[in-house]
Amino acid sequence: MSNNIKVKVKMGMLINGEWSEVDKTIVNGQYVRANSVIAQPISDNMIQSIADEPGRFHLIASWSCPWSHRTMLVRALKGLQDLIPLHIAGGRRVQGYPMDYGELWEVPGTTRKIVHLHQLYCVSDNQFSGRVTVPVLWDKVAKKIISNDSQNIMRALDRVETESWNVTRPESGFPATKPGSFSPEHLAREIETLNQFIYLHISNGVYQAGFAQSQAAYDEAIELVFAGLEKLEQKLAGRRFLLGQQITESDLQLFPALVRFDVVYFIHHFCSLKRLTDFPNLWAYARDIYSIPQVAQTIDWRAIQISNHLPKSNDELPIIRVMPENDWLKPSGRERIG
Ligand SMILES: N[C@@H](CCC(=O)N[C@@H](CS)C(=O)NCC(=O)O)C(=O)O
């Protein structure tokens, strides 16, 4: 196939600090996710400062975004809400994500008021080139984006040491008693392998299906997604969480995709061979994680649903398609699994 670039979902990006409507995400019919640009691991000093200087670091995230959701989960489960304020990017996309639903939003640590997320990237670096994505960890003292990589942000938040661990249900498999407990040293290799599997088959796979511009690219993506779900379904037959009795980073990377599967990926990304509720183990596992009180606080169902229905102009009203309701509150019964 020639270099035939056809773009269905135009996203736009920054080039040398200027917003441009070019879209470089589709290559030969296939969606190619750009790597995070500000992706160096967050230093130990910085992690220490998160604990020592409440309110210095701000998390900018979107309710609809699964990558943001991962970081919101760690923030909530670790009880870091008072240390790291949360700001929501969301609303109708005009030049990418708006901040605060298109209202003027003051950049923490400055008097600058902005409308678009890309303006925050330019406050950080006025020559920034790359995709303008959420989540973002913002340092109001340095007036810089510390990271726009969800995995690095998750890891940094997991390692923050505070005295106020927010453990309300230790029996929930939620081991937040020590820094780094979502990726314990002895499981590091398995977590890395599993994270890559989840990314390839599920978290990124669903985007490859949804954004595919050719039958071949779509077929390949669907195969990846459902082979991945089947494998995870089997894995969860004999164990409560992906790596045993304790929730790890891998569970927190998978969960946001499961939350969105039936209401977003099944309908809008054409991942319609099966629903989440057709996988008994995965569905019960997702409800088990959902039953931890802090987890439900990280989900805004309406924002997740509406994000794919946002109209192009202010005068149109979105028409929201409905699905049979999934009963997320039904007890999972998985505490008994060893
Ligand atoms: N590598 C990033 C990916 C984040 C990402 O793709 N976020 C989406 C929202 S769900 C986004 O901001 N997309 C805008 C774009 O690509 O222009 C991460 O893991 O943090």
Side-chain angles (χ1 to χ4, degrees):
M1 198 168 155
S2 67
N3 245 0
N4 174 18
I5 302 180
K6 205 168 65 163
V7 177
K8 184 169 69 175
V9 190
K10 221 170 172 196
M11 294 204 270
M13 60 189 289
L14 278 174
I15 299 177
N16 299 328
E18 294 287 332
W19 180 256
S20 157
E21 291 295 338
V22 299
D23 188 299
K24 297 191 177 170
T25 56
I26 307 289
V27 179
N28 289 339
Q30 201 168 35
Y31 172 66
V32 179
R33 181 176 295 281
N35 290 331
S36 309
V37 177
I38 309 165
Q40 60 286 7
I42 297 169
S43 69
D44 290 346
N45 278 348
M46 208 73 90
I47 293 169
Q48 187 61 46
S49 304
I50 295 178
D52 293 346
E53 298 173 59
R56 171 171 168 183
F57 297 90
H58 292 243
L59 182 63
I60 291 119
S62 165
W63 291 119
S64 60
C65 166
W67 317 95
S68 294
H69 193 183
R70 301 163 158 203
T71 62
M72 288 158 125
L73 281 166
V74 181
R75 173 178 175 270
L77 288 170
K78 290 280 178 165
L80 304 177
Q81 293 93 329
D82 292 341
L83 294 179
I84 308 172
L86 172 70
H87 305 266
I88 298 294
R92 197 162 59 85
R93 310 263 172 92
V94 178
Q95 298 191 9
Y97 274 94
M99 285 306 309
D100 209 11
Y101 302 92
E103 298 296 317
L104 275 179
W105 178 78
E106 189 168 295
V107 177
T110 75
T111 52
R112 181 81 197 276
K113 292 200 168 64
I114 64 169
V115 176
H116 305 288
L117 177 65
H118 72 72
Q119 294 170 299
L120 180 72
Y121 274 69
C122 291
V123 175
S124 179
D125 169 5
N126 63 14
Q127 288 302 304
F128 184 87
S129 290
R131 305 216 66 81
V132 173
T133 56
V134 276
V136 159
L137 191 65
W138 172 257
D139 177 351
K140 80 169 194 184
V141 172
K143 302 179 191 26
K144 288 239 171 299
I145 294 175
I146 298 307
S147 177
N148 72 347
D149 182 77
S150 58
Q151 176 157 295
N152 284 344
I153 298 174
M154 287 180 95
R155 288 194 173 161
L157 302 197
D158 182 27
R159 287 173 50 213
V160 174
E161 203 157 351
T162 73
E163 274 156 24
S164 60
W165 296 113
N166 205 350
V167 189
T168 50
R169 286 178 49 205
E171 80 287 359
S172 67
F174 157 42
T177 46
K178 307 199 285 309
S181 51
F182 288 131
S183 49
E185 202 56 44
H186 69 285
L187 292 176
R189 286 245 314 271
E190 279 173 275
I191 288 175
E192 207 58 56
T193 309
L194 204 45
N195 288 355
Q196 281 170 20
F197 181 90
I198 292 166
Y199 177 84
L200 177 74
H201 285 268
I202 319 287
S203 318
N204 196 48
V206 293
Y207 281 91
Q208 298 220 283
F211 295 170
Q213 300 287 297
S214 74
Q215 187 66 43
Y218 169 75
D219 290 346
E220 196 183 310
I222 284 297
E223 169 99 33
L224 269 180
V225 169
F226 284 93
L229 288 171
E230 295 293 352
K231 182 118 191 247
L232 295 173
E233 172 73 4
Q234 284 160 22
K235 200 186 242 315
L236 289 166
R239 47 174 95 178
R240 186 170 175 196
F241 300 108
L242 290 171
L243 289 170
Q245 272 296 0
Q246 285 200 340
I247 293 181
T248 63
E249 187 182 277
S250 302
D251 298 295
L252 301 179
Q253 297 204 357
L254 176 62
F255 179 74
L258 300 183
V259 164
R260 286 159 182 78
F261 203 85
D262 289 358
V263 286
V264 179
Y265 307 143
F266 182 85
I267 307 181
H268 301 284
H269 290 208
F270 322 114
C271 295
S272 32
L273 275 180
K274 283 184 176 186
R275 295 169 305 173
L276 169 65
T277 51
D278 297 322
F279 294 93
N281 298 330
L282 270 168
W283 170 219
Y285 157 86
R287 295 199 312 277
D288 189 15
I289 297 179
Y290 183 78
S291 72
I292 303 169
Q294 294 92 332
V295 169
Q297 294 159 16
T298 64
I299 300 173
D300 178 335
W301 288 107
R302 173 139 179 104
I304 290 174
Q305 262 205 305
I306 209 171
S307 67
N308 284 276
H309 297 271
L310 289 174
K312 300 272 172 294
S313 80
N314 274 334
D315 343 309
E316 282 175 62
L317 283 175
I319 296 173
I320 314 283
R321 291 172 224 173
V322 290
M323 287 273 301
E325 290 264 316
N326 291 346
D327 182 4
W328 280 86
L329 298 176
K330 193 166 107 195
S332 73
R334 288 182 62 85
E335 314 71 39
R336 292 189 297 273
I337 302 177

